[in-house]
Amino acid sequence: MLLKDKVCVVVGAASLRSIGFGVVDLFVEHGAKVVAVDLAMNDATLADMKTAIEARLQRSVLLDGLQCDISQPEACDQLVRDVVQRHGAIDCLVNSAGIVKSTSLLDISFQELDLMLQVNLKGAFHLCQSVLKAFVAQRSGNIVNVSSLAAQRGGGLVGGAHYAASKGGVLSLTRTIAREFGHLGIRANAICPAMIDTPMLDGLSPERLNDIVEAIPLKRIGTTRELAGACLFLASELSGFVTGATIDVNGGTHIH
Ligand SMILES: NC(=O)c1ccc[n+]([C@@H]2O[C@H](COP(=O)([O-])OP(=O)(O)OC[C@H]3O[C@@H](n4cnc5c(N)ncnc54)[C@H](O)[C@@H]3O)[C@@H](O)[C@H]2O)c1
């Protein structure tokens, strides 16, 4: 058990097909006290998540859930207060919340750009700022931000320029946190996924998906569990000397 009794907040976890849920599932398996968070979190969703994990692990598990819109700074502060009140501390934040649009650059409206940045970049910023207040008081803590291949290769296989720009901001934010808070024992790392089997890929036609998979060295799309494995490494002491790093989970799609 790599996260025994660690309090881990996983944001972006309301869909059973999401990366966030894959992280929740693996972290619970490794003994963490997990708080699953999402804009769309509710009692029914939380119950479904718990049932799915218990069926797989063949044992009963504890799972906490909270609703939060990360684009609202007050909501992020409230989330952190609620978690600390319920669990006494926060050991790790995994931020996997995000939205995607594939609109081409000249067609992106002000409103669409604003929403993309509001959720993906400012949301990550608010969340990190809120949790860092608790981490500074604790003199410990660990952040894992889910960015994207789009931030590295100049646009996504799915997302447009606004998505890529928002995810590039998440990389810069993560590296800055690592540099600014490292002396307190606080770590921050990013993961850049590509082509992980979640609702985010639902918009791709079978032909387009085929073409993309043909160009992936491993010749397949990835699973949420494979992405969760990288999060587990970064959240655990296995990666104790790793901070400011970016881990690619992309089947070799982008090798640099
Ligand atoms: N699936 C991929 O191949 C892929 C590739 C690159 C990056 N990513 C990134 O991985 C992360 C997870 O995506 P996913 O593939 O699991 O898709 P997903 O749509 O299943 O998960 C995203 C979750 O974020 C939640 N969310 C959206 N806005 C929110 C808000 N304002 N506050 C709180 N929660 C909010 C959604 O409700 C959803 O449950 C995203 O940041 C995405 O950009 C995914």
Side-chain angles (χ1 to χ4, degrees):
M1 292 231 178
L2 291 172
L3 295 175
K4 186 92 185 90
D5 294 331
K6 297 286 183 199
V7 178
C8 299
V9 177
V10 182
V11 186
S15 155
L16 292 185
R17 291 178 57 212
S18 68
I19 287 170
F21 176 71
V23 175
V24 170
D25 186 36
L26 189 60
F27 279 23
V28 169
E29 181 181 332
H30 277 268
K33 293 178 184 168
V34 176
V35 185
V37 180
D38 202 288
L39 179 65
M41 186 59 66
N42 56 42
D43 289 346
T45 304
L46 186 64
D48 287 348
M49 294 172 74
K50 197 166 172 294
T51 304
I53 297 170
E54 289 180 338
R56 198 180 65 74
L57 297 181
Q58 291 292 296
R59 62 174 166 88
S60 65
V61 300
L62 290 175
L63 182 62
D64 200 358
L66 287 168
Q67 194 273 345
C68 177
D69 178 354
I70 64 165
S71 69
Q72 304 302 316
E74 312 78 34
C76 294
D77 276 348
Q78 188 59 49
L79 170 70
V80 170
R81 276 197 296 273
D82 287 347
V83 176
V84 171
Q85 195 181 27
R86 287 183 192 193
H87 298 280
I90 303 179
D91 295 298
C92 180
L93 165 73
V94 177
N95 175 28
S96 186
I99 55 173
V100 70
K101 284 257 184 197
S102 55
T103 318
S104 61
L105 198 146
L106 293 181
D107 294 329
I108 295 170
S109 66
F110 171 80
Q111 288 83 357
E112 191 175 312
L113 172 64
D114 208 36
L115 179 64
M116 190 65 69
L117 298 178
Q118 194 65 39
V119 176
N120 290 1
L121 179 54
K122 291 188 184 176
F125 198 99
H126 300 321
L127 211 44
C128 289
Q129 212 173 34
S130 298
V131 88
L132 278 164
K133 292 174 196 166
F135 285 179
V136 167
Q138 295 172 182
R139 291 289 193 271
S140 68
N142 192 346
I143 292 174
V144 180
N145 278 323
V146 179
S147 175
S148 173
L149 166 79
Q152 301 169 306
R153 73 185 275 277
L157 298 167
V158 179
H162 48 353
Y163 176 76
S166 71
K167 291 297 189 175
V170 171
L171 280 188
S172 300
L173 168 68
T174 309
R175 291 169 182 166
T176 310
I177 294 168
R179 196 176 292 281
E180 198 171 328
F181 294 90
H183 70 287
L184 297 175
I186 295 165
R187 299 193 289 123
N189 293 286
I191 295 182
C192 284
M195 299 310 289
I196 306 296
D197 189 9
T198 76
M200 253 185 205
L201 303 190
D202 287 351
L204 291 171
S205 69
E207 297 75 30
R208 173 86 176 115
L209 187 61
N210 235 7
D211 289 349
I212 293 173
V213 168
E214 264 311 298
I216 299 176
L218 289 182
K219 299 291 177 205
R220 63 175 179 86
I221 57 174
T223 66
T224 55
R225 192 166 175 84
E226 288 168 326
L227 196 288
C231 292
L232 177 63
F233 168 68
L234 291 174
S236 76
E237 282 313 307
L238 287 180
S239 62
F241 202 47
V242 180
T243 196
T246 303
I247 296 192
D248 297 340
V249 182
N250 63 27
T253 306
H254 185 65
I255 299 174
H256 43 136

